[in-house]
Amino acid sequence: MASIIAGPALPAEAVPVAHGLPLLGNTLDLMRDPASFLVESYRKYGPVFRTRAMGRGGLVLAGPEIATFMSTREGRDAFRSREVWQGMVRELGGTEVVNGADGERHARLRAIVREGFSRRALHGEYVALVRGCDNALDRLCAGTESVSVVALSQRIAAEQIGYLMIGRAATDHAPDILHAVKSIINVHVGGVWPQWMLALPRYRRARAGIERFVAACRREFARREACGGPDSATMAVLRANRDAPDLMPDENVTITLLGPFIAGLDSMANTLASAIYGALRHPDVLRRIQAEADAMFAAGPVDDEAVATLKASDGTMMEAMRLWPNAIAQMRYTAAEFDFGGFRIPANRKVMLATTVPHFLDEYFPDAARFDIDRYRRPRSEHLQKGAYSPFGRGPHSCIGQGMAEGLMTITLARIFHRYDLSLTAPDYRLETRLTPTPGPAMRFRARIGGERRPRSS
């Protein structure tokens, strides 16, 4: 890494510009492999550098320095996210979303929905969640030679998140939500699609599908209120809408309810698919996952204590999130002027916070390119180093559903390899990735199906 400038902070105009092509700048690097570009630039220029892409300049704050800074009091107050999400919020008829609020209001909104988005929301639901995984596996894997791993992961997410939110599989809602959200993010957040894409009939049909999903959430809320039932993200959001309409007005219900479903169909499905690849690419890891999964499911009903025994599955998920992070960087706006990395960072400036750069640094994760699921176990605990591991983002806007996602992905990975014998279509296959709407494995990544290992009743 380049040395951080000593002495008085230099103005933002003095920040080094990453080397790029004439006219195109860093456009191709950011499109092909943004993680590698950010790591290489960090090593060359340090924790502050500028990019040029699509004719526009960008300011990047990177490395363990920014990850650590975001965990400080100054760092928590240094950024805001409202502008990043405002286009998406308006498109869905709202005025605010939880991860777009800032300051005290953001803290109050998170407090309201935290329980429904936490790992505790899985308590007592494991039997149903395993059943949802089985439904997806049997529908897409039984009697076929291969399966799209991303499509399988999305189907599982639709089954499981649907059950948690509306009491049943939400596979009928998934295509509309995926299409609408992908369109909105690419137009309003990423800025890579033109506005007219949101006027196409397919998008309008998808928007209508979102409203049907929200109506299903309201029906489930009424049912659980009347008859009792487990808490969930749906219950948390609609209870807040009823009891604290100043914080959760009607117009913000739709975009807030979409949060867990979007995370499941996109981020969780991408990570699960990456973890499947990691296990299939490393037979020793696959054998460990199968051994502990077979033992756990043979022991009886699944509960929190049983899930805690899935060490290999948990390590595989964590390593997948390190090597193939969904949130390579976070987009924010600076809320105030501050000094960072030897430079004076101006207020009201759009910045890219590359917090996952340390994931790829040997000084934090020795032989960082190697898939090693034991990095996270004592005494190594490499992820606990200061600023080293940020798969869910950093700061006050880090993913509120982190606990739920970790628990759900761990048991799902174990169940997949307990039930079915999967392998790569080619032993030397290298994972292909896509970048929109968020980074993840390409849809054409397929696994060969060798048959069923265990019947679903076991």
Side-chain angles (χ1 to χ4, degrees):
M1 185 195 78
S3 61
I4 298 176
I5 298 171
L10 298 176
E13 292 75 18
V15 171
V17 179
H19 176 73
L21 297 172
L23 300 179
L24 289 176
N26 312 118
T27 303
L28 296 181
D29 292 320
L30 288 166
M31 290 176 61
R32 283 192 298 243
D33 191 348
S36 293
F37 168 73
L38 292 170
V39 170
E40 291 168 7
S41 298
Y42 170 81
R43 287 195 179 281
K44 187 172 183 179
Y45 305 108
V48 187
F49 55 91
R50 286 186 288 165
T51 63
R52 293 182 298 112
M54 306 298 288
R56 294 177 292 183
L59 183 62
V60 181
L61 311 182
E65 292 89 346
I66 189 59
T68 302
F69 178 70
M70 292 177 72
S71 299
T72 66
R73 176 174 294 181
E74 182 185 8
R76 288 193 293 270
D77 295 335
F79 306 101
R80 64 177 187 266
S81 62
R82 182 180 66 254
E83 294 94 331
V84 176
W85 301 104
Q86 198 57 39
M88 183 175 187
V89 170
R90 285 197 301 266
E91 178 64 27
L92 289 169
T95 60
E96 179 182 60
V97 66
V98 175
N99 61 348
D102 295 295
E104 181 184 352
R105 185 171 180 85
H106 175 251
R108 292 177 65 196
L109 281 168
R110 283 179 74 100
I112 283 176
V113 300
R114 182 179 294 117
E115 187 72 18
F117 289 71
S118 72
R119 190 160 184 158
R120 287 185 293 275
L122 304 180
H123 293 186
E125 304 299 327
Y126 290 113
V127 172
L129 296 172
V130 167
R131 184 170 64 246
C133 180
D134 285 342
N135 290 344
L137 285 167
D138 293 341
R139 185 173 182 86
L140 296 187
C141 295
T144 59
E145 295 182 355
S146 68
V147 63
S148 165
V149 177
V150 176
L152 173 64
S153 300
Q154 289 176 341
R155 178 82 186 203
I156 292 172
E159 291 268 354
Q160 295 176 328
I161 303 298
Y163 177 81
L164 290 172
M165 294 194 69
I166 60 175
R168 61 176 176 81
T171 51
D172 52 337
H173 298 292
D176 285 334
I177 293 176
L178 274 172
H179 183 83
V181 170
K182 178 180 179 179
S183 300
I184 294 170
I185 289 177
N186 282 329
V187 171
H188 287 298
V189 181
V192 296
W193 284 8
Q195 178 75 32
W196 58 259
M197 294 289 286
L198 302 183
L200 296 177
R202 176 66 186 93
Y203 172 74
R204 304 318 301 176
R205 291 195 300 272
R207 283 286 285 111
I210 285 178
E211 297 308 318
R212 289 192 293 273
F213 169 72
V214 173
C217 287
R218 291 190 179 279
R219 289 193 296 272
E220 180 65 9
F221 174 72
R223 185 188 70 81
R224 294 191 190 188
E225 283 278 278
C227 306
D231 211 343
S232 66
T234 295
M235 299 297 289
V237 172
L238 292 177
R239 190 182 299 118
N241 174 238
R242 182 193 63 196
D243 299 339
D246 60 317
L247 281 177
M248 187 57 63
D250 291 342
E251 59 266 28
N252 292 339
V253 166
T254 294
I255 192 169
T256 308
L257 285 173
L258 284 179
F261 211 75
I262 294 169
L265 291 172
D266 186 57
S267 299
M268 192 182 88
N270 286 342
T271 300
L272 183 60
S274 299
I276 291 171
Y277 168 76
L280 295 180
R281 184 86 173 130
H282 300 86
D284 57 323
V285 171
L286 177 59
R287 286 190 291 270
R288 288 172 60 183
I289 293 173
Q290 288 174 328
E292 67 180 16
D294 293 348
M296 187 196 73
F297 287 114
V302 180
D303 55 21
D304 297 318
E305 186 175 343
V307 175
T309 67
L310 299 175
K311 304 297 185 185
S313 295
D314 182 61
T316 301
M317 294 306 313
M318 294 185 72
E319 189 71 334
M321 289 189 288
R322 182 182 72 85
L323 286 171
W324 302 287
N326 279 279
I328 293 174
Q330 305 166 66
M331 302 307 299
R332 294 287 186 269
Y333 282 78
T334 55
E337 185 179 74
F338 60 92
D339 293 346
F340 178 80
F343 296 93
R344 178 66 51 84
I345 308 300
N348 302 312
R349 180 76 177 267
K350 188 176 183 178
V351 292
M352 179 187 294
L353 308 177
T355 55
T356 62
V357 161
H359 290 200
F360 307 95
L361 301 180
D362 290 339
E363 53 265 45
Y364 286 89
F365 297 95
D367 196 4
R370 183 165 59 92
F371 191 86
D372 181 355
I373 70 171
D374 295 316
R375 297 182 185 276
Y376 312 95
R377 301 186 70 175
R378 296 177 180 174
R380 293 172 64 182
S381 300
E382 295 169 11
H383 64 301
L384 297 182
Q385 298 172 86
K386 198 172 184 180
Y389 189 64
S390 307
F392 292 97
R394 284 275 176 158
H397 291 88
S398 60
C399 178
I400 194 172
Q402 174 177 347
M404 175 191 286
E406 288 175 327
L408 196 51
M409 290 189 296
T410 296
I411 190 172
T412 299
L413 185 71
R415 188 63 177 182
I416 289 170
F417 288 126
H418 172 72
R419 288 288 320 283
Y420 277 88
D421 178 18
L422 303 180
S423 61
L424 295 174
T425 53
D428 59 349
Y429 172 77
R430 296 289 180 177
L431 186 64
E432 296 179 73
T433 58
R434 54 177 168 78
L435 294 178
T436 58
T438 56
M443 291 296 294
R444 56 182 173 269
F445 165 39
R446 302 186 69 84
R448 181 177 290 113
I449 302 170
E452 191 176 17
R453 295 184 68 247
R454 300 286 191 280
R456 66 182 294 166
S457 58
S458 66

